[in-house]
Amino acid sequence: MDCIFCKIANGEIPAATLYEDEEFRVIMDMGPAAKGHSLILPKEHYANIYELPEEKAAKAFLLAKKMAGAMTEALDTDGFNIVQNNGSAAGQTVFHFHMHLIPRYEKDGAGFGWNPGNLSDADRDEVLSKVKRVLQ
């Protein structure tokens, strides 16, 4: 496999590392949305959240909380986004599970969001029915 995030996470390619342990490396993003934008990379390869074992997912989210707190204090942020994309349609461009840690600042121009739509009764009922059926 020729995964660039595997190589970065395992130290084969140099990166600005904010944090590292046995399972994860947190690096600064080379194309930041805002000052301090970083990525949480597991050292093992998982293409997306669907492949990520539950225990590893829990550790990734605990690390995201830890890093968001440290970065908020250190960088005096006004807010914080934690983003995780799965699949091309959702904006994933590197198919190695990763989480974006994006410090936010008033008027930073990062423009992260969407235009809210309306939840129709038909969509509500369809989603409720289908998801609950899968969860049973």
Side-chain angles (χ1 to χ4, degrees), residues 16-19 25-29 32-40 62-83 99-105:
T17 299
L18 291 171
Y19 173 87
R25 183 181 295 250
V26 180
I27 64 164
M28 294 184 69
D29 194 305
K35 181 180 173 183
H37 181 171
S38 299
L39 304 173
I40 295 176
L62 288 172
L63 179 55
K65 181 183 184 314
K66 175 180 181 171
M67 293 302 302
M71 294 170 77
T72 295
E73 182 179 336
L75 301 175
D76 194 29
T77 69
D78 298 312
F80 210 93
N81 290 120
I82 298 172
V83 180
M99 297 175 72
H100 293 264
L101 303 171
I102 307 171
R104 298 303 303 270
Y105 309 90

Side-chain angles (χ1 to χ4, degrees), residues 24 40 49 52-69 82-86 97-101:
F24 296 94
I40 295 176
I49 199 164
L52 194 67
E54 288 182 4
E55 180 180 309
K56 189 80 64 173
K59 289 179 180 180
F61 277 89
L62 288 172
L63 179 55
K65 181 183 184 314
K66 175 180 181 171
M67 293 302 302
I82 298 172
V83 180
Q84 202 283 307
N85 304 316
N86 296 281
F97 173 88
H98 57 286
M99 297 175 72
H100 293 264
L101 303 171

